Amino acid sequence: MEKEDIYILAVESSCDETAASVVRNGREVLSNVIYSQIDLHTLYGGVVPEIASRKHIEKVNQVIEKALSDAGITLKEVTAVAVTYGPGLVGALLVGVSAAKAIAFAADKPLVGVHHIEGHISANYIENKELEPPFICLVVSGGHSHLVVVKDYGEYEIIGRTRDDAAGEAFDKIARAIGLGYPGGPKIDKVSKEGNPDAIRFPRAKVDGSTYDFSFSGLKSAVLNYLNSCEMKGIAVNQADVAASFQKAVIDVLVGHSMDAVSQYHFKKFAIAGGVASNTSLRAAFEKACREKGLEFYHPSPVYCTDNAAMIGVAGYYEYCKGTRHGWDLNAVPNLKLGERI
Ligand code: KG4
Ligand code: ZN
């Protein structure tokens, strides 16, 4: 008997992107609709949670309808509805969770809650059809910096995490400090191309006793101190050099920790995920490091690195296949832990 196709309708609204997608059989993205609120939040220099929630409410139904129509299917043909229920901004998450629950209930479809980071990791399956666990994945986004052993679909062990700022947060803060504005990551990425990454030697932080943990607050302070001392001495700051030197300090630590982990755990496959994973210098550095170590290197296209619902559809598919089902009491869990079932 031929296996029936599984269509997952996925919704993502954990931060400032309202997104919906239809994914067939786990790895085929039929539609990927993203409404980005970035322009709105740029006015305030960062994401304003209240504004994000309101905009999600305005957009969520439109985005879901477009995802279905772009995919050329009707709600009736959907197998299950997947939605990010944490971690993220509680008000923002609630919009997606409520919309997904309402749709699943009305159409009599199973509901599958998905962890946002599981989504980011799963983005790697979209364009790398041959990729299967186990592998190690570095997840670097605006809210997270995790080194994760992906043991199996839906089975994770976090072996390293940030002690303070997430990598993306550090990019955003430094971008603001050097006058690039929000969102910082893509701007630092671009400006760095004009700068010298060895112009200023910023610290590469080690965390005592935790080989794979990260800390970016010392680096952030070092950049701010450098900017202050330039100002006091009346020395003009070379924005591109600061950006490139800061970026290199972050990348050196991310690559160093990741490669140590891959060696110690004896994996042959390494992947990156999350918004910062779209950084061009970071991708080049990992490409080189993996080549030198004879590792297979996986990374999603930039559109699947930053927040999107296709990655939630992929993770939702594997959760669905494992039998994960959520009830109509599913709630937003802003600090949901990876691997935790609620
Ligand atoms: O994964 P994501 O879209 O949202 C979260 O789950 O946090 O990540 C957003 C973060 C922001 O901090 C943004 O500045 C950063 O990813 N980012 C980048 C780049 N593009 C986005 N950081 C460095 N280089 C980039 N090209
Ligand atoms: Zn994200």
Side-chain angles (χ1 to χ4, degrees):
M1 202 180 81
E2 250 189 52
K3 264 187 33 193
E4 236 180 74
D5 285 332
I6 294 178
Y7 293 90
I8 304 287
L9 169 64
V11 182
E12 153 66 42
S13 69
S14 65
C15 191
D16 59 347
E17 266 92 23
T18 324
S21 165
V22 175
V23 175
R24 179 161 57 199
N25 299 331
R27 298 200 178 205
E28 196 187 340
V29 177
L30 300 186
S31 62
N32 186 30
V33 182
I34 304 169
Y35 171 77
S36 172
Q37 306 178 358
I38 274 186
D39 293 347
L40 205 63
H41 298 286
T42 300
L43 294 171
Y44 306 93
V47 178
V48 184
E50 190 59 28
I51 293 177
S53 314
R54 284 177 198 212
K55 208 67 195 170
H56 283 313
I57 294 176
E58 266 176 47
K59 291 288 168 186
V60 73
N61 287 336
Q62 265 169 268
V63 165
I64 292 171
E65 272 170 30
K66 185 157 170 30
L68 286 169
S69 72
D70 284 2
I73 68 163
T74 62
L75 187 53
K76 231 175 137 192
E77 292 166 275
V78 166
T79 314
V81 181
V83 63
T84 309
Y85 71 112
L89 302 170
V90 67
L93 287 163
L94 265 175
V95 178
V97 168
S98 307
K101 283 202 288 194
I103 288 171
F105 181 76
D108 196 20
K109 305 289 178 188
L111 178 71
V112 181
V114 172
H115 192 288
H116 184 73
I117 298 300
E118 179 169 12
H120 273 303
I121 295 169
S122 305
N124 278 289
Y125 299 132
I126 299 171
E127 294 150 300
N128 301 297
K129 308 289 183 209
E130 76 289 3
L131 176 63
E132 307 239 15
F135 58 92
I136 289 195
C137 185
L138 172 75
V139 187
V140 269
S141 70
H144 305 269
S145 301
H146 284 348
L147 249 181
V148 182
V149 176
V150 183
K151 296 176 166 178
D152 201 345
Y153 295 109
E155 266 187 56
Y156 308 96
E157 184 190 342
I158 300 174
I159 56 170
R161 64 183 78 230
T162 181
R163 293 294 184 90
D164 36 63
D165 291 348
E169 221 174 332
F171 270 92
D172 293 336
K173 286 179 180 168
I174 296 307
R176 201 175 307 145
I178 58 176
L180 287 173
Y182 177 83
K187 292 195 169 155
I188 289 197
D189 192 351
K190 191 158 171 246
V191 167
S192 292
K193 295 189 199 309
E194 317 292 324
N196 172 9
D198 299 312
I200 311 141
R201 176 78 195 174
F202 290 127
R204 275 74 170 149
K206 282 212 172 355
V207 179
D208 281 347
S210 304
T211 326
Y212 305 123
D213 278 0
F214 304 102
S215 167
F216 296 109
S217 67
L219 169 60
K220 189 184 67 191
S221 304
V223 178
L224 296 179
N225 288 341
Y226 173 82
L227 295 174
N228 274 339
S229 77
C230 285
E231 197 184 327
M232 301 221 312
K233 291 180 202 155
I235 302 169
V237 170
N238 184 324
Q239 198 187 41
D241 282 352
V242 176
S245 302
F246 157 78
Q247 181 174 270
K248 185 161 186 224
V250 175
I251 294 173
D252 278 357
V253 172
L254 295 176
V255 173
H257 283 27
S258 302
M259 291 302 113
D260 287 350
V262 176
S263 298
Q264 203 195 326
Y265 283 78
H266 304 294
F267 281 101
K268 281 269 151 232
K269 294 180 266 184
F270 175 76
I272 54 173
V276 182
S278 58
N279 183 278
T280 43
S281 303
L282 178 133
R283 290 159 91 93
F286 272 114
E287 198 100 49
K288 181 166 176 278
C290 287
R291 199 180 328 114
E292 284 168 4
K293 272 187 162 305
L295 302 171
E296 289 294 336
F297 173 49
Y298 299 93
H299 54 82
S301 291
V303 68
Y304 297 127
C305 284
T306 44
D307 287 350
N308 65 89
M311 66 185 198
I312 304 302
V314 178
Y317 167 83
Y318 287 106
E319 288 293 340
Y320 173 82
C321 293
K322 282 186 358 175
T324 303
R325 302 288 184 272
H326 283 93
W328 306 127
D329 58 350
L330 178 68
N331 207 349
V333 185
N335 56 355
L336 184 66
K337 305 279 176 294
L338 190 62
E340 185 180 29
R341 309 263 162 220
I342 290 181

